[in-house]
Amino acid sequence: MPRYTVHVRGEWLAVPCLSSTNTIEWLGKEAVRRYMKNKPDNGGFASVEEVKFYIRRCKGLGLLDLDDTVGDALEDNEFVEVVIEGDIMSPDFIPSQPEGYISLDGNSLTTEDLLNLGKGLYKIKLTAEAETKVKKSREVIERIVKEQTVVYGITTGFGKFARTVIPNSNLRELQVNLVRSHSAGVGKPLTPERTRMLLALRINVLAKGYSGISLETLEQVIEVFNASCLPYIPEKGTVGASGDLAPLSHLALGLIGEGKMWSPKSGWADAKYVLEAHGLKPITLKPKEGLALINGTQMITSLGCEAVERAGAIARQADIIAALTLEVLKGTTRAFDTDIHAVRPHQGQAEVAFRFRSLLDSDHHPSEIAESHRFCDRVQDAYTMRCCPQVHGIVNDTIAFVKDIITTEINSATDNPMVFAEREETISGGNFHGEYPAKALDYLAIGVHELAAISERRIERLCNPSLSELPAFLVTEGGLNSGFMIAHCTAAALVSENKALCHPSSVDSLSTSAATEDHVSMGGWAARKALRVIEHVEQGKIKILISRQILNHENEDVCPMSPHRPWIKDRFMAPDIEAAHRLLVEQKVWEVAYPYIEKYRREHIPESRPISPTAFSLRMSADDSHDHRHQNEL
């Protein structure tokens, strides 16, 4: 009996097939049915019949005809993927109708904008001012070529070959050779969402008008982005010094019609065929344009944008989950008194304490648990509860600091040489060096890790009956059932792994390019491991399940933040953890608590402005976050 391994929403399912005459559509429905069966909420679907999908091979991602039989189309034990149409959980999700355009000028892109561009919510166009700057910058390059002036990267070789002058007849070939030779990355390709972010960010930098690219070529790049034609970009290979040369070269390679490329219309194929399927032509590089496409910190910084946004989302939700933990452990709220935090006035600390008060003030939001021990003689709690404002507070301030660095970086010119049209000259410098975002993202990983470290210790307090005065591992018939015993082990494993990942990559350096590039930032790894640390923190927030279990034990109303069914006896736990992870990624925990926090803010601090429900930085109010919205023409 043939078996097929089917990938659905990040899970691998083994699907046996009784008959080779079953269709590809049958295989997809059977895989979705098995996926739904493993989910507490059926994966969000009412029935298999309502799920619309297409199927493609995992190797090469070629699309399969749903009417073909599995015997004709597949080999035994072949790996295929079910892609659910319009599924925001799919890494390939692209809205069928973007909401409009974001006009790029190279100066006012926000981290939120870049994530939305990555998700395919918007297309791109240039502002009139950007078009003018690009044209003037290109005029400088044309004059250099015409006058045969010796300028690095335009009429010379690169790196160690900077003193090798190239004849005018070979200048176009020079740029193509640069892109081909520098496309030397390895590892898994970036996801479509991350590739869109990288491409959008490179367009934003080119729009500043310091790169020397022609307006014609830049408009071609924008057309490729708007069609969601995405080059194959390996995630490894950049040392983050002379920019992210390898990944950006792979990006440029697809633009000139070489290498692999993906689009939702064509799947993976040779780049020239994907472009042709969308009515686009490969870019023909002019002098300096290859260098203009590959020189910069956009790999580090685009991943950094995702990292800082996800960090903000998990940080503000960590406050809510920690407050819930304090309540179910019958902790005191005295440690969150306004006066305590006024005499140590760190902004993050004060905001976290405020959130705790807004959620745990029993006079404001009556709670049976809070009332049950309101007049108890407990003076103070363990540090993991009492010191949440201090520990969570610096995480919030760290995120705000890193966001400032990343926001500056995404609107910076990071080329070499730089073209200054007003001075009618080019200048070689070092803006391509990735030390700024590398150091910031190492700092981000260290900061966000602490949310998981302190959270794991609170999980211990919840599960340990000698500390919680609750049933061991929060389950009845302990011994017969293990309850949350190994869920705590999972959290501990993630925290321990993060400790290694938090070693700063930017303290390392290796000399490259025959000692021309003799100090590098290693920023690509800083960005990738920051994202891994953040994902572990998201996955480690198992307390949302545990706290919900305790609420059941206390006979309180169902917690609206949790997808968790009461844990009466042991069952397959991974789907519950995944569902909780999804709640956090989709920011459902924040959506539930935010109205209560802001209601409390209005009543206790009437003159204050509300904190935006989508902005994680403590310095980003609802009014502040309008600044870039004028670009979005809906």
Side-chain angles (χ1 to χ4, degrees), residues 471-486:
F473 306 111
L474 307 173
V475 71
T476 57
E477 297 187 78
L480 176 62
N481 296 294
S482 296
F484 289 85
M485 181 188 298
I486 305 304

Side-chain angles (χ1 to χ4, degrees), residues 151-152 210 241-243 288 291 295-296 413-420 425-434 516-517 519:
V151 177
Y152 173 76
Y210 297 102
S242 189
K288 188 16 172 111
L291 191 59
N295 212 206
T414 54
D415 297 79
N416 187 55
M418 307 283 286
V419 181
F420 292 94
E425 64 178 312
T426 64
I427 304 175
S428 289
N431 277 6
F432 49 68
H433 201 292
T516 303
E517 300 163 4
H519 183 277

Side-chain angles (χ1 to χ4, degrees), residues 273-317:
Y273 296 127
V274 175
L275 292 171
E276 183 179 321
H278 290 268
L280 302 173
K281 294 181 179 180
I283 290 171
T284 300
L285 296 175
K286 306 179 186 68
K288 188 16 172 111
E289 292 193 325
L291 191 59
L293 288 171
I294 74 169
N295 212 206
T297 62
Q298 283 67 60
M299 168 78 160
I300 306 170
T301 314
S302 60
L303 295 182
C305 283
E306 179 185 344
V308 81
E309 287 295 319
R310 285 173 63 179
I314 193 61
R316 61 173 176 258
Q317 292 177 109

